[in-house]
Amino acid sequence: MPERGIMSYVVTAQEMRRADENTITRFGVPQLVLMERAALSAQDFIIEEWQNLFTKRVRILIVAGNGNNGGDGVALARLFYLQGHRVTVLVSGKEEKYSDALTCQMRILERYKAEEERQRSTNTDRTLEIITDDMWEKNVRQSGENYELVVDALFGVGLSRPLNGADREKVEWMNSLHGKKAALDIPSGVSAQDGSIPGGFFQADLTVTFGFQKTGMLLYPGKEFCGKIRCAGIGITEDSFLGKYPAGITLDKGEAARKECLDTFLHRKKNSHKGNYGKVLLFAGSTKSPGAALLAGRAVLRSGAGMLQFISTPENRDLILSELPEAMYQAVTRDTDWDMLLDWCDAVIAGPGIGLEKETEENLWKIMTLMSEAKERKPLVLDADGLNLAASSERLFRLIKQYTAAGGIVIMTPHMAEFARLLHSSMEELQAERMKKLECFARESGVILAGKDAVTVVCYADEAGQFHYYINQTGNSGMATAGSGDVLSGIVGALTALCAVRLREQGNLRGKLSFEENFTKKAYFEAVYRAVFVHGLAGDRAAEKYGEISMKAGDIIDALPELFDCKPDVNVH
């Protein structure tokens, strides 16, 4: 279960349907109660979003499908009508195909309509019009009616096919209308599973979703068509999962989330020393790319690591140590004592700027081999050229799988082009089935995967074979700049090293001496998604200061100190 207050589940259509059904059948909450709460919440959020619009009577169009999403829309139409607005409801589909809940809502609405007609001579402040598909085709479509608010309640999460034909025409007509646009649960045409848009789609300014955010509304391209997202609690809670919780979680980018997520994780004891906060070995940089090593190293130290040791080419020594005198430096030579270096550290970062030469691949092979043979299976963060080498070297990738199968932790942080190389697939294939590809790769390789993109997804498969993922909501387009990924690898490395120390300390407190007995993949997963969260949040702070066009990777590092403003524990433990 996610931590209450900061984490929330994100659900697929199937997971949401299961929770909805359990709420109704297991706990006995009537479906119409849930529907009424959904409509009330939607009304509140819509009025809150467009307060200026609702200072007067509003002309509203609500387009309802023949399922339960349509029932939400019809209930909302009634609420707006009773509030005094001019409401038109277009009910799509044939009456014999209406869901039971929609049929009930329509009967209620029709009674109000009949009462309105009976009292028309004495009450003209509000109007209610109910139209069908036939009426829309003949009279409404070409009427040029001016609606100030258009609400999409056609399909919600229930759509499992491309939006084509008459449905697509209807949605395109809705998009062409003037006025604010709101969607109930998820815009029609957006896949709740992965955010794909296989056919037509509704373009919302505001989406009011019910119970939990849907996976597809947090991923591009679907995210782009949701506008602002508001999540309404309607009575479907985590209890409705009956212990079988969804695979996905997310973290809001608010200040409360930052404090709970980071301060709790990074808290420091007064009675401590540098070894308590992790020693990071950073294999990075080459004569052609010293900057990648420097960016990753700066990020390691700014993210709280107790000690940092570079391992890089001799040519980079003076440059790096002049910029980061706090770090140690070991030049890569034929006589490098890899055993000593790996024994010293708590976590390894390998890849930023190391190049793709045969000698580099051999050094990475040595690192992996020695880590596999060691008693303590220390975590390895692979990024940039480390990923490209793993994609091109069959023996290296095979060793990674052997390491994870034996209980070792490997964290990969590929952007989409690097991930496509790892999969040996095209970008087009990857973009078409991104979530499925992430899950398959995580299962096959055993790694913790941070798939970098406009929306980064961190995922892994646990020891029982259950898939878990985190969808990040921090960050901005200004982070699409050289070196941003190197910064992330440094933050991930620092938090991973801290996680390793904490797990080892916990194990020793319990009388366990073997590191393998103590670690959990879940703990490292949590460290990685926190790193991704703070990386994006630092990017947001940098964008506020420099703008998304002018910011650079180093600005992300410079924003880290104000995010890591944790206070030490009052008591000595």
Side-chain angles (χ1 to χ4, degrees):
M1 293 172 58
E3 299 171 59
R4 290 181 181 272
I6 61 169
M7 280 292 170
S8 60
Y9 289 113
V10 291
V11 298
T12 62
Q14 182 181 9
E15 289 168 337
M16 192 63 221
R17 281 193 292 268
R18 178 165 55 86
D20 185 67
E21 182 179 347
N22 288 338
T23 303
I24 296 166
T25 60
R26 177 64 70 92
F27 297 111
V29 180
Q31 187 172 54
L32 290 178
V33 171
L34 298 176
M35 193 167 281
E36 193 72 7
R37 290 188 64 177
L40 285 164
S41 296
Q43 182 185 39
D44 288 344
F45 282 135
I46 288 170
I47 293 173
E48 181 182 323
E49 180 66 19
W50 294 301
Q51 294 180 28
N52 292 337
L53 182 65
F54 283 91
T55 57
K56 57 181 178 56
R57 188 173 61 170
V58 181
R59 186 74 174 94
I60 301 171
L61 170 68
I62 297 178
V63 182
N66 57 20
N68 288 341
N69 190 245
D72 295 333
V74 172
L76 178 62
R78 168 171 44 83
L79 295 175
F80 275 131
Y81 165 71
L82 293 175
Q83 202 176 50
H85 300 290
R86 299 173 59 199
V87 180
T88 297
V89 184
L90 166 57
V91 187
S92 182
K94 297 180 179 180
E95 187 173 353
E96 57 266 27
K97 292 187 178 180
Y98 289 179
S99 70
D100 291 342
L102 172 60
T103 298
C104 183
Q105 293 290 354
M106 284 298 297
R107 286 172 181 165
I108 297 171
L109 194 66
E110 286 163 355
R111 291 188 184 109
Y112 276 104
K113 172 67 174 173
E115 185 65 16
E116 178 209 297
E117 292 175 351
R118 191 179 70 82
Q119 299 185 19
R120 183 175 296 280
S121 60
T122 59
N123 184 359
T124 59
D125 290 339
R126 62 190 185 189
T127 61
L128 177 61
E129 182 182 16
I130 303 173
I131 61 177
T132 62
D133 281 344
D134 289 342
M135 297 168 65
W136 172 71
E137 287 284 356
K138 293 177 182 177
N139 303 315
V140 180
R141 189 176 184 183
Q142 304 300 328
S143 68
E145 183 70 58
N146 183 28
Y147 298 102
E148 295 161 286
L149 173 66
V150 178
V151 179
D152 165 31
L154 265 174
F155 292 106
V157 300
L159 188 67
S160 58
R161 58 174 174 78
L163 194 62
N164 291 319
D167 292 327
R168 181 168 186 162
E169 290 180 15
K170 196 170 296 173
V171 165
E172 289 175 349
W173 168 71
M174 293 161 62
N175 287 336
S176 72
L177 297 172
H178 296 293
K180 307 299 183 182
K181 307 288 198 313
L184 301 188
D185 219 12
I186 194 169
S188 293
V190 175
S191 168
Q193 304 298 113
D194 59 11
S196 60
I197 312 289
F201 58 87
F202 180 74
Q203 175 68 71
D205 302 308
L206 170 71
T207 297
V208 181
T209 197
F210 306 127
F212 304 92
Q213 294 182 86
K214 313 308 182 287
T215 300
M217 65 174 42
L218 300 182
L219 299 173
Y220 287 102
K223 180 181 174 70
E224 184 176 355
F225 305 119
C226 291
K228 180 184 289 187
I229 298 171
R230 300 296 299 272
C231 189
I234 64 171
I236 301 174
T237 68
E238 60 192 31
D239 298 289
S240 298
F241 297 119
L242 303 181
K244 187 180 179 183
Y245 298 108
I249 56 174
T250 190
L251 176 64
D252 183 37
K253 62 164 61 178
E255 177 62 14
R258 184 207 66 77
K259 287 188 70 64
E260 286 194 50
C261 177
L262 297 177
D263 292 8
T264 301
F265 186 74
L266 298 170
H267 75 277
R268 293 195 168 206
K269 302 174 185 178
K270 285 188 174 182
N271 182 21
S272 61
H273 55 81
K274 59 191 175 185
N276 293 128
Y277 303 111
K279 295 176 283 188
V280 177
L281 180 65
L282 176 58
F283 178 33
S286 62
T287 53
K288 295 179 180 180
S289 300
L294 193 54
L295 285 167
R298 286 185 61 210
V300 167
L301 291 177
R302 283 298 188 193
S303 299
M307 301 177 75
L308 168 65
Q309 183 156 200
F310 284 93
I311 180 160
S312 190
T313 58
E315 294 85 353
N316 288 339
R317 182 187 187 95
D318 291 344
L319 170 65
I320 289 177
L321 291 183
S322 66
E323 293 291 329
L324 278 179
E326 301 89 348
M328 296 176 284
Y329 198 97
Q330 175 69 49
V332 178
T333 67
R334 292 181 179 179
D335 299 324
T336 298
D337 189 345
W338 294 101
D339 271 316
M340 180 272 294
L341 291 169
L342 293 169
D343 184 63
W344 169 83
C345 71
D346 296 303
V348 180
I349 306 172
I354 59 177
L356 303 176
E357 290 77 13
K358 179 62 179 176
E359 182 182 357
T360 305
E361 192 264 350
E362 187 65 33
N363 284 329
L364 190 53
W365 167 259
K366 288 178 184 177
I367 291 173
M368 286 295 308
T369 300
L370 290 171
M371 290 179 72
S372 299
E373 295 171 350
K375 289 184 178 180
E376 293 189 4
R377 301 196 184 282
K378 298 179 180 180
L380 169 68
V381 180
L382 277 180
D383 185 41
D385 288 335
L387 298 169
N388 293 327
L389 287 169
S392 61
S393 171
E394 186 176 336
R395 69 165 186 165
L396 191 56
F397 190 73
R398 186 167 56 247
L399 187 54
I400 290 169
K401 291 171 67 175
Q402 291 171 357
Y403 188 61
T404 59
I409 295 294
V410 176
I411 298 158
M412 291 186 171
T413 59
H415 56 59
M416 289 298 98
E418 291 165 341
F419 191 38
R421 291 183 204 115
L422 285 166
L423 295 173
H424 304 289
S425 71
S426 68
M427 282 290 289
E428 290 75 17
E429 292 173 328
L430 174 56
Q431 295 288 6
E433 294 185 313
R434 183 188 177 201
M435 286 300 294
K436 187 179 293 186
K437 297 285 189 184
L438 287 168
E439 179 175 355
C440 289
F441 187 84
R443 289 185 181 282
E444 177 193 355
S445 64
V447 307
I448 297 172
L449 194 61
K452 296 181 295 192
D453 203 5
V455 174
T456 295
V457 177
V458 183
C459 61
Y460 79 106
D462 65 22
E463 292 83 351
Q466 297 297 313
F467 180 65
H468 305 271
Y469 62 92
Y470 161 84
I471 299 179
N472 192 53
Q473 297 195 58
T474 60
N476 59 82
S477 65
M479 300 176 73
T481 185
S484 179
D486 301 320
V487 174
L488 176 61
S489 67
I491 300 172
V492 171
L495 269 60
T496 298
L498 176 61
C499 182
V501 172
R502 295 267 173 85
L503 288 169
R504 188 168 58 241
E505 289 174 347
Q506 291 170 14
N508 290 336
L509 287 172
R510 295 176 183 141
K512 297 179 180 179
L513 300 178
S514 172
F515 183 72
E516 296 95 320
E517 294 177 24
N518 304 305
F519 87 87
T520 64
K521 209 171 185 180
K522 181 175 182 287
Y524 285 108
F525 167 68
E526 291 174 350
V528 175
Y529 74 60
R530 281 174 164 84
V532 169
F533 170 83
V534 74
H535 178 249
L537 197 58
D540 289 336
R541 298 289 176 90
E544 290 173 6
K545 186 173 183 179
Y546 298 105
E548 294 184 18
I549 294 174
S550 295
M551 64 178 284
K552 54 186 178 62
D555 300 328
I556 301 172
I557 301 172
D558 294 339
L560 289 173
E562 67 177 284
L563 300 179
F564 293 136
D565 62 349
C566 311
K567 301 294 188 296
D569 286 349
V570 175
N571 299 318
V572 176
H573 298 288

